[in-house]
Amino acid sequence: MTAPVWDLARLNYEPMQKTDLDDVYALEQSVYPHPWSMANFEDSLSSNYEAWVLRDQDGDLLGYFLLMAVVDESHLLNVAVSAEKQGQGLGRFLLNQAVACSRGLGMESVLLEVRPSNTRALEIYGRYGFKQIGRRKGYYPASNGQREDAIVMRFGI
């Protein structure tokens, strides 16, 4: 099966609104083993973080990202692509938009955390140019009440 070629100019890329949260929350639940709560998304919007959604021509949610600007660095808090649409370039599009957004805010770099077990994301971030700069011990919840470290990565703008 060949991945579709997206006409990005015909997709809807726009700021996340409260009306998007049910779709965003559902997508989050479907792709992450330890997803954000609805309150995490609500708090991010209330805090005026940069939050963007990507929808297809039919209005179906394809993905989203949330950024928090801190001094001279953006923190990529969350990024996700619908499971059915992964591997089709939409994650790279969202990363491009997150970096462009950060640049527009006058940031010098983008920081993120990722689970060591999320090898696919690590590969994507590495190919994009993110570099590992540290590790946060026990950062993420994991199965059986355990914790998983976070690999901290940075991309210079």
Side-chain angles (χ1 to χ4, degrees):
M1 183 172 136
T2 304
V5 175
W6 294 98
D7 180 356
L8 297 176
R10 297 188 70 194
L11 297 179
N12 297 312
Y13 171 72
E14 55 199 14
M16 188 184 295
Q17 305 294 320
K18 286 183 182 180
T19 54
D20 293 310
L21 290 184
D22 286 340
D23 289 345
V24 167
Y25 181 71
L27 193 156
E28 175 83 2
Q29 298 291 307
S30 72
V31 297
Y32 288 119
H34 300 280
W36 273 22
S37 68
M38 179 64 87
N40 291 131
F41 289 107
E42 292 169 342
D43 290 346
S44 293
L45 285 184
S46 296
S47 297
N48 293 317
Y49 294 161
E50 291 291 327
W52 293 79
V53 295
L54 181 64
R55 293 183 179 276
D56 67 15
Q57 296 159 300
D58 296 326
D60 294 329
L61 184 65
L62 301 172
Y64 56 86
F65 74 83
L66 295 99
L67 274 177
M68 176 178 67
V70 181
V71 188
D72 62 353
E73 182 169 72
S74 288
H75 189 166
L76 184 57
L77 301 171
N78 194 329
V79 59
V81 171
S82 170
E84 305 82 44
K85 306 299 183 193
Q86 291 179 6
Q88 299 177 19
L90 297 174
R92 182 160 187 95
F93 173 81
L94 289 171
L95 280 177
N96 285 340
Q97 296 307 312
V99 168
C101 182
S102 297
R103 188 177 291 119
L105 293 169
M107 302 291 110
E108 295 177 7
S109 62
V110 179
L111 180 85
L112 61 81
E113 292 93 6
V114 62
R115 292 172 183 269
S117 63
N118 192 345
T119 55
R120 185 172 186 184
L122 283 167
E123 180 183 328
I124 290 167
Y125 296 138
R127 273 197 326 253
Y128 195 89
F130 281 84
K131 304 292 183 211
Q132 182 174 339
I133 61 165
R135 195 172 192 103
R136 300 190 201 282
K137 296 288 184 190
Y139 185 79
Y140 289 113
S143 59
N144 301 321
Q146 301 294 309
R147 305 290 298 177
E148 184 175 3
D149 292 352
I151 293 174
V152 183
M153 302 182 85
R154 176 177 285 131
F155 178 80
I157 297 178

